Amino acid sequence: MRIRLLQGLALLATGLLAGAFGYGAANLVPTFNAVPLDMRLSFHAELMKMNGITMQAAMATSTLSSLALAALTRGRARLIAGSAGLLTLASFLITRLGNVPINGRIKEWAISSAPADHAEILRRWELFNHLRTLTALTAFGLLIVLFLRQPPADRKQPQTTPA
């Protein structure tokens, strides 16, 4: 029972993480690129204030629940859950080491002005964003595969009685 609950938590957290990153990559980034730079910088800076807490919580919950699931399972299930945990950890590291430092610069630009090389820096932010989205989506896919591999707990095999 606790493994099923842990699977549910890992699926929920990783699905939310992949969904949030996917929405950002599919909708926010193109919108960022379609509006004037000053509007993008202001909105980006405000959005990152909100995302700081929620996205880090989703990444932590995804990683910890997947790794805990790996610790409680064996064989292929352990490999799949562990891989999902490492992929969500990769999403965290990409965010922390790639996106967050650039977010700090964007915050400064929003109150002053962007440097001449801002387009290249924003392209790098987008690259990191695509990478963390890919790692989160892959982790979510792995957890779905893991969940689908196992028969539902409440489904029992039909029993035959001797005639």
Side-chain angles (χ1 to χ4, degrees):
M1 179 66 163
R2 72 178 172 187
I3 288 178
R4 297 292 282 178
L5 290 174
L6 202 49
Q7 274 185 327
L9 178 61
L11 272 170
L12 175 64
T14 307
L16 289 172
L17 180 67
F21 282 153
Y23 177 84
N27 295 297
L28 287 177
V29 171
T31 303
F32 282 163
N33 293 329
V35 299
L37 182 62
D38 62 331
M39 184 182 292
R40 177 205 175 135
L41 298 177
S42 296
F43 181 75
H44 192 118
E46 286 302 313
L47 182 63
M48 294 311 113
K49 286 181 192 174
M50 301 304 291
N51 279 356
I53 295 167
T54 57
M55 295 307 291
Q56 291 203 33
M59 286 184 276
T61 305
S62 297
T63 300
L64 294 174
S65 60
S66 295
L67 293 177
L69 187 59
L72 294 175
T73 56
R74 290 188 163 70
R76 189 170 298 241
R78 175 175 281 172
L79 178 65
I80 293 170
S83 296
L86 292 176
L87 284 164
T88 57
L89 179 61
S91 292
F92 172 77
L93 292 172
I94 292 165
T95 300
R96 193 75 194 114
L97 302 174
N99 296 93
V100 169
I102 296 172
N103 289 343
R105 294 174 78 180
I106 290 171
K107 223 186 274 189
E108 292 172 10
W109 302 345
I111 56 176
S112 60
S113 64
D117 66 340
H118 72 275
E120 176 55 35
I121 295 168
L122 293 174
R123 268 194 294 282
R124 199 168 5 147
W125 184 92
E126 289 177 20
L127 172 64
F128 291 134
N129 189 56
H130 289 307
L131 288 173
R132 69 185 181 172
T133 301
L134 181 62
T135 56
L137 285 169
T138 304
F140 185 47
L142 286 173
L143 290 172
I144 290 171
V145 166
L146 179 60
F147 185 78
L148 292 175
R149 286 180 72 237
Q150 299 173 338
D154 56 351
R155 190 183 333 158
K156 295 184 175 148
Q157 296 294 326
Q159 295 183 0
T160 58
T161 56

